[in-house]
DNA sequence: ACCCCCAGTGCAAACGTTTTCACTACTATA
DNA sequence: TATAGTAGTGAAAACGTTTGCACTGGGGGT
């Protein structure tokens, strides 16, 4: 394990450590001859700077922290997550930043992780994923005045930098599509009520129905949790009632896929008996049988732009950065609807 | 942004910085009264140690690096990845380690990432995912004598610490299952030939056929790439020949799902017309239509044990650690086979 | 009464950088 | 020829820890 330091490079090149440091940081005051000599010494010794030492004095770690929300087990199952991570890594690594991951099983672990990262000066900035409705972490970071960005949006603090879809509009558009296909009895499978994204998508759905003058039958609001726990019973309850919806909007493609499976197993045909639409457009949405009509939220872009704006904020150069970045969505019409 | 250091704590508690440091590291030589006084000061000031400074002198970062193979875009699409990550994070965070991620678009970027991490002393150890057949990174880390663990195995250096399935056996078992169901005309969709896991699974498949005295028709060996590029043509080529397989073993559940879709679209029924089996048992394998017969490789465990053994190695306490850890697999029989 | 030992604590060096300041040796100007 | 400016470099302090070593004082053994 080589442990060559700046001093050894300096010695070999016959200069002082300061000069080597300046060569590394491309300080223009160094003459091209010394610059060349130092460069050669660096290569010859296979020198790589010790980031810890560098960070200690420069107070910048070239690392951004990603804190996964607690109870994120579902998140991992969802391919949404890896795709968003891919986008984040793409931008970050391109700018020579690395990503530091922490997960947590509960709120106190989450705070602990944040403290390790932020107070331990281990990261320059933090990405918060799909924050909950009341988010103590957001408050804490604001209090510390520590740079962070939300993937999603905060209800309580709309002024913080966030990258998000216009989920209300997306849901509105998707519902309108169903309406335009002649459906006016539409149900919905909702996500966790503490997530802002669930709230927004439900809102857009309601907005569209209201605008179209449709009534929403309360029996047709199914929570994803209920679906998961009761499975078939939930479905039969809805579908075998005297009055049943002709289409269901599902908060997330993964859930839509499993709903479709339940329905098919129960003997329904899709979209003949009922139309199903989802959200996100993950890879599997196209592979599903039938392929799902959904709204593409630009998952990769969501991740990419999140760290893009964070890094911009960190550089501190540009003024008047936007505070609310919206990644556009678009409808993807496939065979799960008619 | 609080920036309280050990000195301020020391001052408040009326002791020297060294004493505070010893309290932090639970040095038993500190009297319980001072210990208590220091603890209180720490809490009062909301002190958190600066990890950079700590790492600089102690030469330990409490971080392990995860280097994603280049051309890993497919990897991200595959839910396998997030599940393995979940396992890694679970163990790591539990031991107060964090995960540092780097991806790369090509081999030189990959080396660069490794250098940043390893030579920059940013991590204590490294996890290498599904290494390629000839792996320069493995060589490099061995040369540096830097602690690392393979998720998968190395053909050239079987002596390095690795956590893996017995993929040959898994494939053997899966093929045997098909044989036991009466299939003796079995095709295979193979993965990237440079991946060890592809090689192993192909080997196990061949072993089983040979043991059963079956011949493998070369036309029935389809590469995943070909499948992806030609789609329907590949299928029709195989299925509409005068001699066609009655079952296909697919190297990966994600590919199996998309193959099933192609087949269904082409008018085949599964498993009536042809049986399909996959590998890994991702979440979607059960949601597929029909649900896929596969082999559960314990994805979460793979990730969990990988960092478990790495951290054990780092602690350096235990001697004679195993060098080859095998995570058991098990057959999951579902409705894609008959 | 003497010495020794040990528990408990502080001092100061070290980790590998960056950066301010000062210095040298030119070059250009008057 | 003297003066000032400048390009290029080095010395040293600083970042916030850990840790080897030295010191103090009180208790036990002779």
């Amino acid at each position: 394990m080589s442990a060559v330091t700046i001093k050894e490079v300096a010695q070999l090149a016959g200069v002082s450590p300061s000069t080597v440091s300046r060569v590394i940081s491309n300080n223009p005051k160094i003459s091209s001859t010394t610059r060349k000599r130092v460069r050669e010494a660096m290569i010859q010794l296979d020198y790589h700077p010790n980031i810890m030492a560098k960070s200690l004095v420069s107070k910048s770690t070239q690392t951004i922290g990603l804190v996964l929300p607690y109870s994120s087990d579902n998140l991992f199952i969802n391919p949404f997550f890896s795709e968003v991570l891919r986008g984040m890594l793409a931008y970050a690594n391109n700018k020579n930043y690395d990503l530091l991951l922490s997960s947590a099983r509960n709120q106190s672990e989450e705070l602990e992780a944040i403290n390790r990262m932020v107070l331990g000066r281990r990261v320059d900035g933090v990405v918060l994923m799909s924050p909950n409705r009341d988010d103590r972490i957001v408050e804490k970071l604001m209090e510390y005045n520590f740079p962070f960005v939300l993937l999603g949006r905060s209800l309580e603090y709309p002024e913080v930098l966030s990258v998000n879809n216009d989920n209300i509009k997306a849901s509105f558009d998707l519902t309108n599509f169903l309406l335009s296909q002649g459906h006016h009895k539409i149900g919905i499978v909702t996500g966790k009520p503490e997530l802002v994204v669930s709230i927004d998508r439900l809102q857009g759905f309601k907005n569209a129905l209201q605008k179209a003058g449709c009534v929403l039958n309360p029996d047709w609001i199914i929570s994803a949790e209920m679906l998961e726990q009761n499975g078939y019973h939930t479905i039969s309850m809805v579908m075998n009632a005297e009055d049943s919806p002709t289409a269901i909007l599902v908060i997330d493609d993964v859930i839509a896929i499993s709903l479709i499976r339940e329905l098919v197993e129960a003997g329904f045909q899709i979209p003949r008996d009922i139309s199903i639409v989802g959200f996100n457009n993950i890879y599997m949405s196209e592979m599903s049988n039938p392929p799902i009509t959904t709204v593409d939220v630009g998952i990769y872009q969501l991740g990419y732009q999140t760290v893009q704006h964070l890094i911009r904020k960190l550089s501190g150069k540009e003024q008047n950065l936007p505070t609310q970045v919206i990644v556009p969505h678009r409808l993807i019409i496939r065979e799960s609807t008619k």
Side-chain angles (χ1 to χ4, degrees), chain A residues 51-90:
Chain A
I51 316 255
M52 296 300 155
K54 182 179 194 152
S55 305
L56 183 57
V57 28
S58 70
K59 284 161 179 355
S60 123
T61 61
Q62 293 286 107
T63 306
I64 79 175
L66 175 58
V67 179
L68 307 179
Y70 60 95
S71 80
S72 59
D73 279 7
N74 319 4
L75 186 63
F76 276 97
I77 283 174
N78 203 319
F80 177 91
F81 171 67
S82 21
E83 183 66 6
V84 104
L85 193 59
R86 190 168 74 90
M88 290 183 175
L89 273 173

mmCIF file of all heavy atoms in Angstrom, chain A residues 51-90:
data_model
loop_
_atom_site.group_PDB
_atom_site.id
_atom_site.type_symbol
_atom_site.label_atom_id
_atom_site.label_comp_id
_atom_site.label_asym_id
_atom_site.label_seq_id
_atom_site.Cartn_x
_atom_site.Cartn_y
_atom_site.Cartn_z
ATOM 1 N N ILE A 51 -7.492 12.757 0.581
ATOM 2 C CA ILE A 51 -8.681 13.602 0.597
ATOM 3 C C ILE A 51 -9.035 14.072 2.001
ATOM 4 O O ILE A 51 -9.607 15.133 2.182
ATOM 5 C CB ILE A 51 -9.870 12.849 -0.006
ATOM 6 C CG1 ILE A 51 -9.461 12.113 -1.264
ATOM 7 C CG2 ILE A 51 -11.027 13.783 -0.237
ATOM 8 C CD1 ILE A 51 -9.905 12.716 -2.527
ATOM 9 N N MET A 52 -8.689 13.250 2.968
ATOM 10 C CA MET A 52 -9.032 13.625 4.342
ATOM 11 C C MET A 52 -8.274 14.888 4.744
ATOM 12 O O MET A 52 -8.839 15.829 5.288
ATOM 13 C CB MET A 52 -8.651 12.496 5.299
ATOM 14 C CG MET A 52 -9.426 11.228 5.077
ATOM 15 S SD MET A 52 -11.193 11.505 5.302
ATOM 16 C CE MET A 52 -11.843 10.191 4.294
ATOM 17 N N ALA A 53 -6.994 14.875 4.480
ATOM 18 C CA ALA A 53 -6.171 16.026 4.825
ATOM 19 C C ALA A 53 -6.647 17.259 4.059
ATOM 20 O O ALA A 53 -6.791 18.343 4.621
ATOM 21 C CB ALA A 53 -4.714 15.726 4.505
ATOM 22 N N LYS A 54 -6.915 17.019 2.800
ATOM 23 C CA LYS A 54 -7.390 18.113 1.968
ATOM 24 C C LYS A 54 -8.691 18.706 2.517
ATOM 25 O O LYS A 54 -8.838 19.921 2.647
ATOM 26 C CB LYS A 54 -7.623 17.549 0.561
ATOM 27 C CG LYS A 54 -8.082 18.543 -0.447
ATOM 28 C CD LYS A 54 -8.242 17.829 -1.783
ATOM 29 C CE LYS A 54 -8.370 18.805 -2.927
ATOM 30 N NZ LYS A 54 -7.870 18.215 -4.187
ATOM 31 N N SER A 55 -9.601 17.818 2.841
ATOM 32 C CA SER A 55 -10.899 18.271 3.337
ATOM 33 C C SER A 55 -10.739 19.021 4.646
ATOM 34 O O SER A 55 -11.445 19.992 4.911
ATOM 35 C CB SER A 55 -11.830 17.090 3.571
ATOM 36 O OG SER A 55 -11.954 16.323 2.412
ATOM 37 N N LEU A 56 -9.837 18.537 5.454
ATOM 38 C CA LEU A 56 -9.675 19.126 6.783
ATOM 39 C C LEU A 56 -9.367 20.620 6.672
ATOM 40 O O LEU A 56 -9.964 21.429 7.362
ATOM 41 C CB LEU A 56 -8.545 18.423 7.527
ATOM 42 C CG LEU A 56 -8.325 18.910 8.965
ATOM 43 C CD1 LEU A 56 -9.610 18.757 9.757
ATOM 44 C CD2 LEU A 56 -7.202 18.137 9.614
ATOM 45 N N VAL A 57 -8.489 20.949 5.784
ATOM 46 C CA VAL A 57 -8.144 22.366 5.689
ATOM 47 C C VAL A 57 -9.066 23.132 4.748
ATOM 48 O O VAL A 57 -9.461 24.258 5.041
ATOM 49 C CB VAL A 57 -6.641 22.558 5.360
ATOM 50 C CG1 VAL A 57 -6.103 21.399 4.602
ATOM 51 C CG2 VAL A 57 -6.397 23.846 4.629
ATOM 52 N N SER A 58 -9.428 22.491 3.648
ATOM 53 C CA SER A 58 -10.239 23.244 2.682
ATOM 54 C C SER A 58 -11.728 23.238 3.036
ATOM 55 O O SER A 58 -12.511 23.965 2.451
ATOM 56 C CB SER A 58 -10.057 22.667 1.287
ATOM 57 O OG SER A 58 -10.671 21.407 1.199
ATOM 58 N N LYS A 59 -12.098 22.390 3.969
ATOM 59 C CA LYS A 59 -13.496 22.308 4.387
ATOM 60 C C LYS A 59 -14.447 21.950 3.264
ATOM 61 O O LYS A 59 -15.612 22.361 3.244
ATOM 62 C CB LYS A 59 -13.933 23.615 5.040
ATOM 63 C CG LYS A 59 -13.395 23.744 6.454
ATOM 64 C CD LYS A 59 -13.408 25.155 6.924
ATOM 65 C CE LYS A 59 -12.884 25.252 8.345
ATOM 66 N NZ LYS A 59 -12.588 23.981 9.021
ATOM 67 N N SER A 60 -13.931 21.238 2.284
ATOM 68 C CA SER A 60 -14.830 20.749 1.237
ATOM 69 C C SER A 60 -14.479 19.303 0.953
ATOM 70 O O SER A 60 -13.311 18.946 0.805
ATOM 71 C CB SER A 60 -14.679 21.594 -0.016
ATOM 72 O OG SER A 60 -14.329 20.807 -1.115
ATOM 73 N N THR A 61 -15.495 18.454 0.901
ATOM 74 C CA THR A 61 -15.234 17.019 0.852
ATOM 75 C C THR A 61 -15.474 16.409 -0.505
ATOM 76 O O THR A 61 -15.207 15.239 -0.707
ATOM 77 C CB THR A 61 -16.159 16.298 1.837
ATOM 78 O OG1 THR A 61 -17.511 16.549 1.444
ATOM 79 C CG2 THR A 61 -15.940 16.797 3.239
ATOM 80 N N GLN A 62 -16.010 17.171 -1.413
ATOM 81 C CA GLN A 62 -16.364 16.634 -2.731
ATOM 82 C C GLN A 62 -17.276 15.411 -2.613
ATOM 83 O O GLN A 62 -17.155 14.459 -3.370
ATOM 84 C CB GLN A 62 -15.104 16.246 -3.506
ATOM 85 C CG GLN A 62 -14.246 17.434 -3.878
ATOM 86 C CD GLN A 62 -14.830 18.244 -5.006
ATOM 87 O OE1 GLN A 62 -15.328 19.353 -4.789
ATOM 88 N NE2 GLN A 62 -14.838 17.709 -6.203
ATOM 89 N N THR A 63 -18.120 15.461 -1.636
ATOM 90 C CA THR A 63 -19.026 14.343 -1.391
ATOM 91 C C THR A 63 -20.407 14.896 -1.097
ATOM 92 O O THR A 63 -20.530 15.876 -0.373
ATOM 93 C CB THR A 63 -18.560 13.522 -0.178
ATOM 94 O OG1 THR A 63 -17.213 13.134 -0.369
ATOM 95 C CG2 THR A 63 -19.418 12.284 0.000
ATOM 96 N N ILE A 64 -21.412 14.275 -1.647
ATOM 97 C CA ILE A 64 -22.737 14.678 -1.221
ATOM 98 C C ILE A 64 -23.459 13.494 -0.602
ATOM 99 O O ILE A 64 -23.287 12.355 -1.013
ATOM 100 C CB ILE A 64 -23.553 15.369 -2.324
ATOM 101 C CG1 ILE A 64 -24.139 14.382 -3.275
ATOM 102 C CG2 ILE A 64 -22.731 16.384 -3.077
ATOM 103 C CD1 ILE A 64 -25.032 15.088 -4.260
ATOM 104 N N GLY A 65 -24.195 13.785 0.441
ATOM 105 C CA GLY A 65 -24.830 12.734 1.218
ATOM 106 C C GLY A 65 -26.240 12.477 0.729
ATOM 107 O O GLY A 65 -26.961 13.398 0.368
ATOM 108 N N LEU A 66 -26.596 11.210 0.714
ATOM 109 C CA LEU A 66 -27.959 10.847 0.361
ATOM 110 C C LEU A 66 -28.560 10.129 1.548
ATOM 111 O O LEU A 66 -28.074 9.069 1.955
ATOM 112 C CB LEU A 66 -27.965 9.952 -0.874
ATOM 113 C CG LEU A 66 -29.314 9.396 -1.290
ATOM 114 C CD1 LEU A 66 -30.292 10.529 -1.552
ATOM 115 C CD2 LEU A 66 -29.161 8.542 -2.537
ATOM 116 N N VAL A 67 -29.577 10.727 2.108
ATOM 117 C CA VAL A 67 -30.198 10.117 3.268
ATOM 118 C C VAL A 67 -31.510 9.475 2.850
ATOM 119 O O VAL A 67 -32.428 10.163 2.402
ATOM 120 C CB VAL A 67 -30.483 11.160 4.350
ATOM 121 C CG1 VAL A 67 -31.153 10.505 5.532
ATOM 122 C CG2 VAL A 67 -29.188 11.815 4.776
ATOM 123 N N LEU A 68 -31.566 8.180 2.990
ATOM 124 C CA LEU A 68 -32.800 7.501 2.615
ATOM 125 C C LEU A 68 -33.772 7.598 3.768
ATOM 126 O O LEU A 68 -33.382 7.464 4.927
ATOM 127 C CB LEU A 68 -32.496 6.052 2.292
ATOM 128 C CG LEU A 68 -31.389 5.948 1.250
ATOM 129 C CD1 LEU A 68 -31.073 4.500 0.945
ATOM 130 C CD2 LEU A 68 -31.808 6.671 -0.018
ATOM 131 N N PRO A 69 -35.017 7.842 3.468
ATOM 132 C CA PRO A 69 -35.996 7.965 4.543
ATOM 133 C C PRO A 69 -36.096 6.652 5.304
ATOM 134 O O PRO A 69 -35.831 5.588 4.763
ATOM 135 C CB PRO A 69 -37.291 8.258 3.796
ATOM 136 C CG PRO A 69 -37.069 7.772 2.402
ATOM 137 C CD PRO A 69 -35.611 7.923 2.140
ATOM 138 N N TYR A 70 -36.403 6.737 6.550
ATOM 139 C CA TYR A 70 -36.598 5.496 7.281
ATOM 140 C C TYR A 70 -37.850 4.819 6.739
ATOM 141 O O TYR A 70 -38.638 5.435 6.037
ATOM 142 C CB TYR A 70 -36.678 5.731 8.795
ATOM 143 C CG TYR A 70 -37.793 6.625 9.244
ATOM 144 C CD1 TYR A 70 -39.010 6.108 9.657
ATOM 145 C CD2 TYR A 70 -37.626 7.995 9.264
ATOM 146 C CE1 TYR A 70 -40.023 6.931 10.070
ATOM 147 C CE2 TYR A 70 -38.630 8.824 9.677
ATOM 148 C CZ TYR A 70 -39.823 8.289 10.072
ATOM 149 O OH TYR A 70 -40.836 9.111 10.477
ATOM 150 N N SER A 71 -37.991 3.572 7.095
ATOM 151 C CA SER A 71 -39.031 2.734 6.490
ATOM 152 C C SER A 71 -38.904 2.800 4.980
ATOM 153 O O SER A 71 -39.873 2.928 4.261
ATOM 154 C CB SER A 71 -40.437 3.177 6.898
ATOM 155 O OG SER A 71 -40.859 4.286 6.130
ATOM 156 N N SER A 72 -37.663 2.706 4.511
ATOM 157 C CA SER A 72 -37.456 2.834 3.079
ATOM 158 C C SER A 72 -37.364 1.481 2.401
ATOM 159 O O SER A 72 -36.947 1.386 1.269
ATOM 160 C CB SER A 72 -36.191 3.632 2.817
ATOM 161 O OG SER A 72 -35.090 2.981 3.407
ATOM 162 N N ASP A 73 -37.751 0.440 3.115
ATOM 163 C CA ASP A 73 -37.635 -0.882 2.508
ATOM 164 C C ASP A 73 -38.419 -0.966 1.204
ATOM 165 O O ASP A 73 -37.954 -1.539 0.227
ATOM 166 C CB ASP A 73 -38.097 -1.960 3.488
ATOM 167 C CG ASP A 73 -36.968 -2.281 4.464
ATOM 168 O OD1 ASP A 73 -35.950 -1.575 4.430
ATOM 169 O OD2 ASP A 73 -37.111 -3.238 5.228
ATOM 170 N N ASN A 74 -39.592 -0.371 1.205
ATOM 171 C CA ASN A 74 -40.387 -0.360 -0.022
ATOM 172 C C ASN A 74 -39.656 0.382 -1.118
ATOM 173 O O ASN A 74 -39.696 0.001 -2.281
ATOM 174 C CB ASN A 74 -41.725 0.339 0.177
ATOM 175 C CG ASN A 74 -42.340 -0.011 1.499
ATOM 176 O OD1 ASN A 74 -41.723 -0.714 2.295
ATOM 177 N ND2 ASN A 74 -43.544 0.443 1.732
ATOM 178 N N LEU A 75 -38.991 1.440 -0.706
ATOM 179 C CA LEU A 75 -38.278 2.253 -1.666
ATOM 180 C C LEU A 75 -37.285 1.413 -2.450
ATOM 181 O O LEU A 75 -37.119 1.561 -3.657
ATOM 182 C CB LEU A 75 -37.530 3.358 -0.922
ATOM 183 C CG LEU A 75 -36.850 4.397 -1.794
ATOM 184 C CD1 LEU A 75 -37.886 5.142 -2.605
ATOM 185 C CD2 LEU A 75 -36.050 5.361 -0.961
ATOM 186 N N PHE A 76 -36.631 0.504 -1.742
ATOM 187 C CA PHE A 76 -35.615 -0.292 -2.396
ATOM 188 C C PHE A 76 -36.216 -1.273 -3.381
ATOM 189 O O PHE A 76 -35.632 -1.587 -4.405
ATOM 190 C CB PHE A 76 -34.792 -1.052 -1.361
ATOM 191 C CG PHE A 76 -33.692 -0.239 -0.795
ATOM 192 C CD1 PHE A 76 -33.853 0.417 0.395
ATOM 193 C CD2 PHE A 76 -32.502 -0.117 -1.479
ATOM 194 C CE1 PHE A 76 -32.828 1.180 0.924
ATOM 195 C CE2 PHE A 76 -31.470 0.637 -0.960
ATOM 196 C CZ PHE A 76 -31.643 1.284 0.240
ATOM 197 N N ILE A 77 -37.369 -1.771 -3.016
ATOM 198 C CA ILE A 77 -38.028 -2.699 -3.922
ATOM 199 C C ILE A 77 -38.373 -1.987 -5.210
ATOM 200 O O ILE A 77 -38.366 -2.549 -6.286
ATOM 201 C CB ILE A 77 -39.302 -3.254 -3.247
ATOM 202 C CG1 ILE A 77 -38.901 -4.313 -2.229
ATOM 203 C CG2 ILE A 77 -40.242 -3.837 -4.283
ATOM 204 C CD1 ILE A 77 -40.056 -4.821 -1.418
ATOM 205 N N ASN A 78 -38.639 -0.710 -5.090
ATOM 206 C CA ASN A 78 -39.098 0.042 -6.243
ATOM 207 C C ASN A 78 -37.936 0.450 -7.148
ATOM 208 O O ASN A 78 -37.033 1.147 -6.715
ATOM 209 C CB ASN A 78 -39.829 1.298 -5.748
ATOM 210 C CG ASN A 78 -40.775 1.822 -6.792
ATOM 211 O OD1 ASN A 78 -40.446 1.848 -7.969
ATOM 212 N ND2 ASN A 78 -41.956 2.219 -6.348
ATOM 213 N N PRO A 79 -38.009 0.001 -8.396
ATOM 214 C CA PRO A 79 -36.948 0.326 -9.350
ATOM 215 C C PRO A 79 -36.781 1.823 -9.545
ATOM 216 O O PRO A 79 -35.762 2.276 -10.046
ATOM 217 C CB PRO A 79 -37.427 -0.310 -10.649
ATOM 218 C CG PRO A 79 -38.407 -1.334 -10.244
ATOM 219 C CD PRO A 79 -39.037 -0.839 -8.985
ATOM 220 N N PHE A 80 -37.784 2.578 -9.148
ATOM 221 C CA PHE A 80 -37.686 4.027 -9.170
ATOM 222 C C PHE A 80 -36.400 4.466 -8.499
ATOM 223 O O PHE A 80 -35.673 5.316 -9.005
ATOM 224 C CB PHE A 80 -38.881 4.617 -8.412
ATOM 225 C CG PHE A 80 -38.868 6.119 -8.302
ATOM 226 C CD1 PHE A 80 -39.485 6.891 -9.270
ATOM 227 C CD2 PHE A 80 -38.256 6.746 -7.237
ATOM 228 C CE1 PHE A 80 -39.482 8.269 -9.166
ATOM 229 C CE2 PHE A 80 -38.236 8.121 -7.136
ATOM 230 C CZ PHE A 80 -38.855 8.885 -8.106
ATOM 231 N N PHE A 81 -36.133 3.859 -7.393
ATOM 232 C CA PHE A 81 -34.982 4.265 -6.602
ATOM 233 C C PHE A 81 -33.666 4.099 -7.348
ATOM 234 O O PHE A 81 -32.850 5.008 -7.403
ATOM 235 C CB PHE A 81 -34.943 3.487 -5.291
ATOM 236 C CG PHE A 81 -33.698 3.683 -4.525
ATOM 237 C CD1 PHE A 81 -33.392 4.904 -3.981
ATOM 238 C CD2 PHE A 81 -32.798 2.645 -4.372
ATOM 239 C CE1 PHE A 81 -32.226 5.102 -3.279
ATOM 240 C CE2 PHE A 81 -31.626 2.826 -3.676
ATOM 241 C CZ PHE A 81 -31.343 4.062 -3.129
ATOM 242 N N SER A 82 -33.448 2.923 -7.943
ATOM 243 C CA SER A 82 -32.152 2.732 -8.590
ATOM 244 C C SER A 82 -32.001 3.641 -9.790
ATOM 245 O O SER A 82 -30.910 4.100 -10.100
ATOM 246 C CB SER A 82 -31.889 1.274 -8.985
ATOM 247 O OG SER A 82 -33.043 0.535 -9.092
ATOM 248 N N GLU A 83 -33.115 3.916 -10.436
ATOM 249 C CA GLU A 83 -33.030 4.784 -11.599
ATOM 250 C C GLU A 83 -32.681 6.215 -11.186
ATOM 251 O O GLU A 83 -31.894 6.893 -11.842
ATOM 252 C CB GLU A 83 -34.361 4.745 -12.364
ATOM 253 C CG GLU A 83 -34.386 5.550 -13.631
ATOM 254 C CD GLU A 83 -33.466 5.028 -14.721
ATOM 255 O OE1 GLU A 83 -32.857 3.946 -14.538
ATOM 256 O OE2 GLU A 83 -33.343 5.705 -15.744
ATOM 257 N N VAL A 84 -33.255 6.630 -10.095
ATOM 258 C CA VAL A 84 -32.962 7.969 -9.604
ATOM 259 C C VAL A 84 -31.507 8.050 -9.144
ATOM 260 O O VAL A 84 -30.790 9.024 -9.390
ATOM 261 C CB VAL A 84 -33.967 8.328 -8.476
ATOM 262 C CG1 VAL A 84 -33.361 8.246 -7.123
ATOM 263 C CG2 VAL A 84 -34.548 9.698 -8.711
ATOM 264 N N LEU A 85 -31.061 6.988 -8.545
ATOM 265 C CA LEU A 85 -29.676 6.912 -8.094
ATOM 266 C C LEU A 85 -28.723 6.966 -9.284
ATOM 267 O O LEU A 85 -27.673 7.612 -9.233
ATOM 268 C CB LEU A 85 -29.477 5.596 -7.342
ATOM 269 C CG LEU A 85 -28.211 5.448 -6.531
ATOM 270 C CD1 LEU A 85 -28.116 6.522 -5.478
ATOM 271 C CD2 LEU A 85 -28.155 4.070 -5.886
ATOM 272 N N ARG A 86 -29.109 6.312 -10.338
ATOM 273 C CA ARG A 86 -28.284 6.317 -11.550
ATOM 274 C C ARG A 86 -28.112 7.744 -12.062
ATOM 275 O O ARG A 86 -27.014 8.164 -12.408
ATOM 276 C CB ARG A 86 -28.939 5.441 -12.618
ATOM 277 C CG ARG A 86 -28.056 5.193 -13.826
ATOM 278 C CD ARG A 86 -28.634 4.090 -14.687
ATOM 279 N NE ARG A 86 -29.804 4.503 -15.436
ATOM 280 C CZ ARG A 86 -29.762 5.036 -16.653
ATOM 281 N NH1 ARG A 86 -28.611 5.198 -17.253
ATOM 282 N NH2 ARG A 86 -30.866 5.390 -17.264
ATOM 283 N N GLY A 87 -29.216 8.487 -12.077
ATOM 284 C CA GLY A 87 -29.134 9.872 -12.510
ATOM 285 C C GLY A 87 -28.256 10.699 -11.592
ATOM 286 O O GLY A 87 -27.438 11.507 -12.045
ATOM 287 N N MET A 88 -28.379 10.476 -10.307
ATOM 288 C CA MET A 88 -27.561 11.222 -9.351
ATOM 289 C C MET A 88 -26.090 10.939 -9.558
ATOM 290 O O MET A 88 -25.267 11.855 -9.622
ATOM 291 C CB MET A 88 -27.932 10.807 -7.921
ATOM 292 C CG MET A 88 -29.291 11.273 -7.479
ATOM 293 S SD MET A 88 -29.540 10.784 -5.760
ATOM 294 C CE MET A 88 -31.110 11.579 -5.451
ATOM 295 N N LEU A 89 -25.754 9.669 -9.646
ATOM 296 C CA LEU A 89 -24.361 9.285 -9.809
ATOM 297 C C LEU A 89 -23.788 9.847 -11.094
ATOM 298 O O LEU A 89 -22.639 10.276 -11.143
ATOM 299 C CB LEU A 89 -24.234 7.762 -9.812
ATOM 300 C CG LEU A 89 -24.090 7.108 -8.455
ATOM 301 C CD1 LEU A 89 -24.149 5.605 -8.581
ATOM 302 C CD2 LEU A 89 -22.770 7.533 -7.824
ATOM 303 N N ALA A 90 -24.603 9.833 -12.134
ATOM 304 C CA ALA A 90 -24.102 10.304 -13.422
ATOM 305 C C ALA A 90 -23.616 11.733 -13.304
ATOM 306 O O ALA A 90 -22.504 12.062 -13.700
ATOM 307 C CB ALA A 90 -25.205 10.188 -14.475
#
